Amino acid sequence: MLDEVDALVIASATDAHADMIEAAAWAGKPIFCEKPIALDLDGTDTAIAAAERAGVPLQVGFQRRFDAGYRAARDLVAAGGIGTPYAVRTASHDPAPPSASFMATSGGLFRDFMVHDFDAVRFVLGGEIAEVHAYGEVPDGMPAPDDFAAAGDVATGTALLRCADGTLAVATASRHDPRGYDVRMEVFGSADSVMVGWDDRLALRSSQPGAAPPAAGWPDFLARFEDAYRAELAAFVEVARGERDNPCPPSDARAALAVAIACDTSRTEGRPVAVEEVG
């Protein structure tokens, strides 16, 4: 099959990504791969090395980089419009937990879900995350608690992130939100404060008396990020043709994975973890 195509889009189960990347690299084909490249850094590095040896581009699928709100926030920070960034808050909520079979191979909340937040923080701020302190739980009332236990996973997570330049960020996530799919980012700075995800589908209800009720939240990530997914693949076509630089190189995916692994280490060992310790 690889002899008959111009490029390869890998959207298979996570545990097949690295082998498919190596096969496509061996065939000399440009590669788009949904995140993650692999669930550990060794597998990630092996796949990246294969693409580098073959001289083919490898674009990784972090679709929030192509969302209009995240891109506008990044441009504002880069232009100095936010002033000095003081703090960042992110929230990622699924409407319902994934299946037990997905949980068993996903890598867990931090590597599968919150890794998008870690990439978004790096993307918007344009800097590195240096240290994390993370917690995770399966709260009472969470659907299918036994599935999380069987996978050794958590259903809610919080990570305090200290960036290399001193900016602080707090990332939170939940596998269940009765109001729908909800992904947001807030950036607070010395000159301005902005929010990504504030639209007529915001899945929050105000407790202030007289506040207008919100519209229905997004049903899932495909609906919320439909435009971003289309832009992402359009960009890959340009990358494969050699018409533009890679907008999400594998080094960025590796950096976000290292933050997620540091969060897993922090959660299990109950301490702050420097990203360089694991990455």
Side-chain angles (χ1 to χ4, degrees), residues 23-220:
W26 178 84
K29 307 297 182 179
I31 307 160
F32 175 92
C33 182
E34 278 296 346
K35 66 84 196 167
I37 294 172
L39 291 176
D40 58 48
L41 293 177
D42 287 342
T44 298
D45 289 340
T46 299
I48 292 174
E52 290 177 345
R53 283 195 303 270
V56 297
L58 170 56
Q59 179 181 330
V60 185
F62 280 98
Q63 86 282 358
R64 294 186 198 180
R65 290 177 173 231
F66 297 87
D67 176 76
Y70 283 96
R71 297 192 68 84
R74 172 187 168 90
D75 292 345
L76 185 64
V77 171
I82 206 78
T84 300
Y86 290 154
V88 175
R89 285 202 296 257
T90 71
S92 294
H93 301 164
D94 272 335
S99 66
S101 60
F102 177 85
M103 281 191 222
T105 60
S106 72
L109 183 74
F110 293 103
R111 301 187 204 202
D112 169 62
F113 195 19
M114 294 181 73
V115 70
H116 281 289
D117 296 295
F118 306 147
D119 181 70
V121 169
R122 295 183 67 255
F123 176 71
V124 170
L125 294 183
E128 297 299 327
I129 298 169
E131 186 178 68
V132 306
H133 199 164
Y135 296 89
E137 299 289 343
V138 182
D140 292 341
M142 180 65 59
D146 292 343
D147 291 346
F148 291 98
D153 198 2
V154 293
T156 61
T158 299
L160 175 62
L161 314 173
R162 182 177 61 80
C163 297
D165 65 358
T167 305
L168 299 179
V170 178
T172 64
S174 173
R175 287 296 197 184
H176 178 226
D177 187 335
R179 301 201 66 86
Y181 183 76
D182 180 22
V183 166
R184 287 172 279 119
M185 170 183 271
E186 302 166 27
V187 184
F188 303 91
S190 61
D192 201 359
S193 299
V194 296
M195 177 178 176
V196 179
W198 187 357
D199 56 24
D200 58 4
R201 304 294 293 272
L202 180 63
L204 281 176
R205 182 177 63 83
S206 174
S207 63
Q208 292 298 125
W218 294 100
D220 55 33

Side-chain angles (χ1 to χ4, degrees), residues 213-228:
W218 294 100
D220 55 33
F221 64 92
L222 293 173
R224 166 64 178 85
F225 288 111
E226 178 179 356
D227 291 343

Side-chain angles (χ1 to χ4, degrees), residues 2-3 20-29 31 50-51 54 56:
L2 287 172
D3 292 335
M20 289 187 173
I21 289 172
E22 292 191 54
W26 178 84
K29 307 297 182 179
I31 307 160
V56 297

